[in-house]
Amino acid sequence: MSVTELVLLRHGESVWNAEHRYQGQQGTGLSARGRQQAKQAAEYLQSLEFDGIVASDLQRVTETLQPYLDSQDHLEVRVDKRWREIDVGTWGGRMIADLAAEEPDVVEAFARGEDIARGGGETFRQLRARVWEAAQDITRSGVRRVLVVTHGGPIRVAAASALGLPAGDEMLLDPPGNCSLTTLRLDGLTSYNVPTGMDR
């Protein structure tokens, strides 16, 4: 039985990360710290061999990946928008502290684990469905190891799906740090179906 390794790299610190703003599918490029993180990640990744690279199309991911691409010339990047961060709608660009003051009920409900479409964007259920579909597509292609450069939300839900955690339990997992690596080993038989019932 073939096993595919997905090596998930979260982007480096962005300017909005440093400013404590919600990003979602909006946002800026990397901060100075994020650019340094990306260089360090590139140095480590040179010790690994990949059969392919898949990446979100957002700027902070593109800038994180560039130092690694500059170090090698034999792999092309396949851009897949399904690996984008969760859409937080009108919350994008807003200060986290401001929204906590202006929409406390929504912030508190989300903190309790309710799967709310913040700012009219996506729910985690929707994010999990599209990310798992993208992960399964890579696994079905039969490659051995793929670098996936993405965001914290997609990494968390991909890990939850691989572990077979029920919908909502991705929030029990610690969020990945900037430029951290998470490796998932998928055998192609693992299937996760998003439950159709109510959230817990």
Side-chain angles (χ1 to χ4, degrees):
M1 183 184 303
S2 63
V3 174
T4 298
E5 280 192 354
L6 301 188
V7 179
L8 307 174
L9 171 67
R10 187 189 175 201
H11 61 80
E13 181 189 76
S14 71
V15 173
W16 279 8
N17 280 152
E19 293 177 350
H20 305 289
R21 297 179 185 274
Y22 283 98
Q23 295 187 107
Q25 296 182 3
Q26 302 177 48
T28 60
L30 300 182
S31 66
R33 182 184 182 193
R35 290 191 293 273
Q36 183 59 36
Q37 290 170 335
K39 290 178 183 177
Q40 292 172 340
E43 291 172 2
Y44 176 78
L45 291 172
Q46 289 175 36
S47 67
L48 303 177
E49 293 184 4
F50 298 103
D51 299 310
I53 302 173
V54 178
S56 158
D57 63 330
L58 300 183
Q59 181 182 0
R60 55 193 184 271
V61 162
T62 302
E63 291 185 6
T64 297
L65 182 55
Q66 194 58 54
Y68 176 66
L69 294 179
D70 290 342
S71 71
Q72 57 86 42
D73 58 7
H74 65 285
L75 290 175
E76 295 184 357
V77 180
R78 181 168 67 84
V79 173
D80 188 340
K81 293 182 179 180
R82 291 176 295 179
W83 288 101
R84 281 182 171 191
E85 182 57 281
I86 191 169
D87 182 3
V88 295
T90 59
W91 282 27
R94 300 289 306 281
M95 298 291 291
I96 293 173
D98 289 347
L99 281 165
E102 295 173 20
E103 300 187 41
D105 292 345
V106 176
V107 172
E108 290 169 10
F110 184 75
R112 288 194 303 268
E114 295 183 29
D115 194 11
I116 296 173
R118 294 166 294 170
E122 285 181 298
T123 64
F124 265 88
R125 183 187 297 273
Q126 292 169 323
L127 171 68
R128 190 163 170 173
R130 67 169 163 89
V131 167
W132 190 241
E133 177 185 59
Q136 290 290 81
D137 283 351
I138 295 172
T139 302
R140 284 192 287 265
S141 69
V143 294
R144 183 180 61 88
R145 180 188 285 155
V146 174
L147 174 65
V148 181
V149 190
T150 182
H151 309 264
I155 293 172
R156 188 186 285 188
V157 297
S161 296
L163 291 169
L165 300 181
D169 279 5
E170 58 271 353
M171 298 307 292
L172 300 176
L173 303 177
D174 289 336
N178 292 116
C179 275
S180 63
L181 292 173
T182 302
T183 300
L184 304 180
R185 294 179 176 87
L186 306 179
D187 59 16
L189 298 179
T190 305
S191 62
Y192 169 77
N193 295 314
V194 178
T196 56
M198 296 292 290
D199 287 336
R200 61 182 181 85

